[in-house]
Amino acid sequence: MQPIFKNTPFDALEIGMSAENTRLCVADDLFVFAHASGNLNPLHLPNEDGDGDGKPEAIAPSAWIGTLISSVLGNTLPGPGTLYKSQNLRFLGRAHAGDTLIAKVRVTAKSDNGDVHFDTWVERDDGTVIAQGDAVVVAPKTSQSFEADDVPGLTVQRHVHFDRLLERAEHLPPLPTAVVAPEKADALAGALLGSDHTLITPILIGDRAKIQAAADELNIDISAFELIHEPDHARAATRAVALVHEGRARAVMKGHLHTDDLLRAVINKETGLRTGRRLSHVFVMDVPGLSHLLFITDAAINIAPDLKTKVDITQNAIDLAISLGVEQPKVGILSAVETVNPNIPSTLDAAALSKMADRGQITGGLVDGPLAMDNAVDLEAAMTKGIKSLVAGRAEILVAPNLESGNMIAKQLTFIAHAEAGGIVIGAQVPVILTSRADDDKARLASCAVAALYAAAQS
């Protein structure tokens, strides 16, 4: 239900009439104002240290504070149809992200030409006045109302969930990580970035000359890192696995080699890192506008998983989500429809997985399916379909029917919805970090943070 704004026309305005509007200043307000105004002063950006004291200031711009007065004049008193003629303000204090602000106006005079004069001020919720002045507006002559149903919404493209993950992980000891074939600049940069943020301690395995050339391209000194010369990618992957068995590494990271070459060493029956569970990949996604992390699985390892494999895929994802702080993950088993249809095999698997969770064969999370994508993530869509479930509309983990659909979901969220995507392979003795040349710095860091938090939870 959209709000309806009604005005008070000029003839109905009386001296002393007043109105106010309360607004919580949030970090996204500061980002939106920075884009709209072009004012990129770091003192007003939530994540920046503008004065060099070692912590962000997140000071609300004074001009933004002034706009709160315009919202009262334009929405309430006089309301729709009002136009500014002048506004002057004295700024007596500062506001920050997290403050509750109250903008107030009061009619002080009316002119025969239709002008209306107002006292205007903004105060914090403790009564401290931080802006004060007066305004002159042209008041509407006739009664009007306006329903705000055609104003586009805004989604700020920032990734607060990954920021929280990084903050949690950076308090952990660095995770010793065997990095296989970091022989290109992008592959090496991801490992070194994780090291810079104390998430991992890289052990570089590959062709020494190529790794050094990549470091030279990045203009980075890698002399402080252990470097094991092994030009053959298959043997380099095997050496990485051996470092895990020796207790020298607690994670494996993909560099510039084929994923199959790396995983072949990981799943080797005699020398690999197998456990009693099937390996699967989980994308951990920070989607702008979504109030929680979103986990997509499996989009990289199991092409057409059968029911037994999907049990492990689901359990792996639940375990990962719990290690990242999700107390009881809600798991939506996806299909094209939300009802069981014998002609759509994925609906049968989904129903079986749900029942297996009810019987304790999958633990730690709430599992429901089949669910279509809309009613898995949108509560209104689930209610429209009449689905009564603790998962429908609230899913935090999405289990795709097959690799193709999972990969499409993850890539669409990344390149259309501007999500950041980290992720790891789990089900082995240690997490395996798979990086992509398309990953940006935030995604690379997130993958390292996910691996560090998962490894800490398993130890």
Side-chain angles (χ1 to χ4, degrees), residues 180 205 230 232-242 252 257 261-263 265-266:
V180 184
I205 310 170
E230 179 48 78
D232 181 87
H233 285 176
R235 286 199 292 268
T238 299
R239 184 73 184 104
V241 169
V252 175
L257 78 163
D261 289 338
L262 178 62
L263 294 182
V266 172

Side-chain angles (χ1 to χ4, degrees), residues 196-208:
D196 289 343
H197 286 258
T198 68
L199 298 171
I200 66 172
T201 299
I203 303 170
L204 311 177
I205 310 170
D207 187 293
R208 184 183 300 275

Side-chain angles (χ1 to χ4, degrees), residues 243-362:
L243 290 179
V244 174
H245 288 301
E246 295 166 13
R248 296 179 55 200
R250 294 180 55 215
V252 175
M253 184 176 190
K254 175 180 177 287
H256 187 73
L257 78 163
H258 291 297
T259 301
D260 288 349
D261 289 338
L262 178 62
L263 294 182
R264 195 174 295 114
V266 172
I267 64 174
N268 184 286
K269 291 183 179 179
E270 297 179 357
T271 61
L273 302 174
R274 283 175 174 265
T275 64
R277 196 180 292 175
R278 184 68 175 256
L279 266 67
S280 61
H281 182 272
V282 184
F283 274 115
V284 182
M285 310 203 73
D286 190 337
V287 185
L290 198 62
S291 63
H292 55 79
L293 287 169
L294 188 65
F295 300 79
I296 311 293
T297 190
D298 179 348
I301 302 293
N302 297 285
I303 297 173
D306 58 15
L307 178 59
K308 183 179 179 181
T309 301
K310 287 181 180 178
V311 171
D312 285 348
I313 289 171
T314 304
Q315 189 66 66
N316 284 343
I318 291 172
D319 292 348
L320 178 60
I322 291 172
S323 74
L324 300 188
V326 184
E327 187 172 340
Q328 189 179 41
K330 302 176 186 67
V331 185
I333 312 297
L334 295 183
S335 185
V337 295
E338 63 281 345
T339 54
V340 176
N341 184 337
N343 294 318
I344 305 177
S346 61
T347 66
L348 301 176
D349 286 349
L353 291 167
S354 299
K355 182 54 67 176
M356 292 172 79
D358 290 343
R359 299 289 169 85
Q361 292 172 271
I362 299 171

Side-chain angles (χ1 to χ4, degrees), residues 31-379:
F31 285 120
V32 170
F33 184 83
H35 276 280
S37 67
N39 178 5
L40 302 181
N41 180 350
L43 284 169
H44 303 313
L45 297 177
N47 298 330
E48 301 296 332
D49 175 14
D51 60 7
D53 66 353
K55 57 184 179 181
E57 287 72 36
I59 300 171
S62 296
W64 178 82
I65 294 171
T67 66
L68 302 183
I69 294 171
S70 74
S71 73
V72 186
L73 296 171
N75 294 343
T76 309
L77 189 72
T82 299
L83 290 173
Y84 256 127
K85 289 193 77 172
S86 67
Q87 170 80 65
N88 69 68
L89 286 170
R90 297 179 303 280
F91 296 101
L92 310 174
R94 304 295 178 192
H96 298 78
D99 287 347
T100 298
L101 305 177
I102 307 166
K104 299 183 177 183
V105 304
R106 182 172 57 239
V107 179
T108 58
K110 295 173 64 176
S111 302
D112 293 339
N113 64 358
D115 290 353
V116 183
H117 298 253
F118 285 85
D119 277 341
T120 63
W121 68 101
V122 179
E123 59 188 46
R124 288 196 290 265
D125 56 355
D126 63 0
T128 302
V129 176
I130 60 173
Q132 190 174 51
D134 53 74
V136 179
V137 305
V138 178
K141 292 183 173 58
T142 58
S143 296
Q144 301 179 40
S145 63
F146 170 70
E147 185 173 353
D149 60 354
D150 197 29
V151 178
L154 295 177
T155 300
V156 178
Q157 293 178 23
R158 68 190 190 106
H159 302 95
V160 294
H161 305 305
F162 274 4
D163 290 341
R164 294 190 191 105
L165 279 186
L166 293 171
E167 185 178 352
R168 286 183 59 199
E170 286 179 352
H171 294 291
L172 298 172
L175 185 67
T177 302
V179 186
V180 184
E183 297 166 351
K184 294 288 185 179
D186 58 342
L188 180 62
L192 299 184
L193 189 64
S195 175
D196 289 343
H197 286 258
T198 68
L199 298 171
I200 66 172
T201 299
I203 303 170
L204 311 177
I205 310 170
D207 187 293
R208 184 183 300 275
K210 292 180 179 179
I211 295 173
Q212 186 58 58
D216 292 342
E217 183 179 339
L218 296 168
N219 196 28
I220 293 177
D221 180 9
I222 59 170
S223 60
F225 299 103
E226 181 178 0
L227 197 163
I228 299 173
H229 178 63
E230 179 48 78
D232 181 87
H233 285 176
R235 286 199 292 268
T238 299
R239 184 73 184 104
V241 169
L243 290 179
V244 174
H245 288 301
E246 295 166 13
R248 296 179 55 200
R250 294 180 55 215
V252 175
M253 184 176 190
K254 175 180 177 287
H256 187 73
L257 78 163
H258 291 297
T259 301
D260 288 349
D261 289 338
L262 178 62
L263 294 182
R264 195 174 295 114
V266 172
I267 64 174
N268 184 286
K269 291 183 179 179
E270 297 179 357
T271 61
L273 302 174
R274 283 175 174 265
T275 64
R277 196 180 292 175
R278 184 68 175 256
L279 266 67
S280 61
H281 182 272
V282 184
F283 274 115
V284 182
M285 310 203 73
D286 190 337
V287 185
L290 198 62
S291 63
H292 55 79
L293 287 169
L294 188 65
F295 300 79
I296 311 293
T297 190
D298 179 348
I301 302 293
N302 297 285
I303 297 173
D306 58 15
L307 178 59
K308 183 179 179 181
T309 301
K310 287 181 180 178
V311 171
D312 285 348
I313 289 171
T314 304
Q315 189 66 66
N316 284 343
I318 291 172
D319 292 348
L320 178 60
I322 291 172
S323 74
L324 300 188
V326 184
E327 187 172 340
Q328 189 179 41
K330 302 176 186 67
V331 185
I333 312 297
L334 295 183
S335 185
V337 295
E338 63 281 345
T339 54
V340 176
N341 184 337
N343 294 318
I344 305 177
S346 61
T347 66
L348 301 176
D349 286 349
L353 291 167
S354 299
K355 182 54 67 176
M356 292 172 79
D358 290 343
R359 299 289 169 85
Q361 292 172 271
I362 299 171
T363 61
L366 299 173
V367 181
D368 193 17
L371 294 172
M373 183 68 181
D374 57 347
N375 47 62
V377 299
D378 186 272
L379 192 57

Side-chain angles (χ1 to χ4, degrees), residues 392-407:
R394 307 176 181 89
E396 296 154 317
I397 297 172
L398 301 177
V399 178
N402 51 45
L403 182 146
E404 294 160 301
S405 55
N407 196 274

